[in-house]
Amino acid sequence: MPKKLKIKIAPSLLSADFSCLAREIHKIESAQADMLHIDVMDGNFVPNITIGPVVIKDIRKITKLPLDVHLMIKRPELLIDNFIAAGSDMITLHIETIPGAKLKVQSAKLKKKGIRLGISLNPNTPLSKIKPVLNMVDFVLVMSVYPGFPGQKFIASVLPKIKQLRAIFKGDIAVDGGINQDTARQVVRAGANVLAAGSYIFKAKNYHQVIRGLKCLI
Ligand code: DX5
Ligand code: ZN
């Protein structure tokens, strides 16, 4: 990993206790998280349904943490404006859901608004699929599980993909799925610098301790 990229932690809200969401978010904020990873699922691109712009809009009111919105939805270009209006600071689209030409339009729009754009790819999607769009995005989110559910096992075969990506991409490389102290070390060694972690953080008693541990890996 290039020395200048510091490790950033993006707790994935999906593993929080939704019956006291505001409290969970405030705890994560004071635990020195760098952003809040929000998983949006449509029951179509992935076999689960989570939250949408209505909830994100209210989350925006109660935290200063950058909102890192991970869209796991089909035809994201139809709904992206709602997520912008809700207050997203970063939006990640899946390469499996949007062709390059449409991504280019979204990229120009987000740039004007000062919103960072990420591209994500599933474990079985080769790096070659995102290579043509790397110049349109600010960061890449490498999926290390098949998206849909928290608490899945990290798929180690994505490590060479992270390594190859780091060789050609200077921006943030985030990894999402099955991150814990051990897998975090592996992905950081491979070249990633942003860790999206759900169950490992939210199932812990002390969020701050876990986040601190993830930040000092090497
Ligand atoms: C997977 C989501 C992830 C996930 C992370 O579909 O995009 O953000 O909830 O959860 P853990 O860290 O438990 O794998
Ligand atoms: Zn995610």
Side-chain angles (χ1 to χ4, degrees):
M1 182 180 71
K3 281 262 168 346
K4 52 185 175 6
L5 290 177
K6 89 180 219 299
I7 295 178
K8 292 182 259 190
I9 310 300
S12 160
L13 201 58
L14 203 50
S15 295
D17 180 349
F18 276 69
S19 69
C20 48
L21 200 50
R23 189 155 63 96
E24 290 279 62
I25 292 169
H26 288 141
K27 270 171 73 182
I28 281 297
E29 193 162 14
S30 51
Q32 311 289 307
D34 296 282
M35 62 195 91
L36 192 62
H37 184 89
I38 303 179
D39 289 302
V40 176
M41 303 184 181
D42 66 350
N44 194 0
F45 176 58
V46 289
N48 197 4
I49 297 177
T50 55
I51 64 174
V54 176
V55 177
I56 295 176
K57 188 166 155 265
D58 281 354
I59 292 175
R60 174 73 294 162
K61 293 183 207 156
I62 63 148
T63 182
K64 287 194 165 50
L65 279 174
L67 302 184
D68 165 30
V69 176
H70 179 189
L71 293 186
M72 289 161 276
I73 62 176
K74 279 204 175 147
R75 307 210 53 194
E77 71 279 8
L78 299 181
L79 286 168
I80 194 166
D81 288 350
N82 302 26
F83 289 95
I84 294 171
S88 308
D89 298 285
M90 302 157 65
I91 294 185
T92 301
L93 305 176
H94 268 258
I95 193 68
E96 299 86 3
T97 65
I98 188 159
K102 284 189 177 162
L103 188 72
K104 199 172 175 181
V105 176
Q106 299 305 329
S107 163
K109 184 167 75 189
L110 294 187
K111 199 173 211 137
K112 266 193 210 149
K113 294 181 183 286
I115 297 170
R116 297 180 73 218
L117 172 64
I119 192 73
S120 184
L121 71 175
N122 279 345
N124 62 350
T125 301
L127 198 55
S128 57
K129 289 270 186 231
I130 63 161
K131 277 188 185 166
V133 306
L134 284 178
N135 61 343
M136 301 176 202
V137 301
D138 300 294
F139 63 96
V140 177
L141 178 70
V142 176
M143 292 307 301
S144 44
V145 298
Y146 286 91
F149 302 92
Q152 300 183 75
K153 192 174 176 296
F154 176 79
I155 299 172
S157 58
V158 303
L159 289 168
K161 190 151 76 177
I162 299 170
K163 224 177 204 158
Q164 287 158 24
L165 177 62
R166 178 49 78 205
I168 57 167
F169 185 71
K170 290 194 165 47
D172 284 342
I173 299 179
V175 182
D176 187 7
I179 293 296
N180 56 38
Q181 193 69 17
D182 174 45
T183 57
R185 188 170 289 115
Q186 297 177 45
V187 303
V188 168
R189 281 194 181 142
N193 67 303
V194 182
L195 305 167
S199 35
Y200 183 59
I201 294 175
F202 282 97
K203 300 289 171 253
K205 279 218 160 63
N206 186 331
Y207 298 168
H208 190 202
Q209 208 168 46
V210 179
I211 289 174
R212 202 174 41 211
L214 288 173
K215 282 190 181 182
C216 354
L217 284 165
I218 296 181

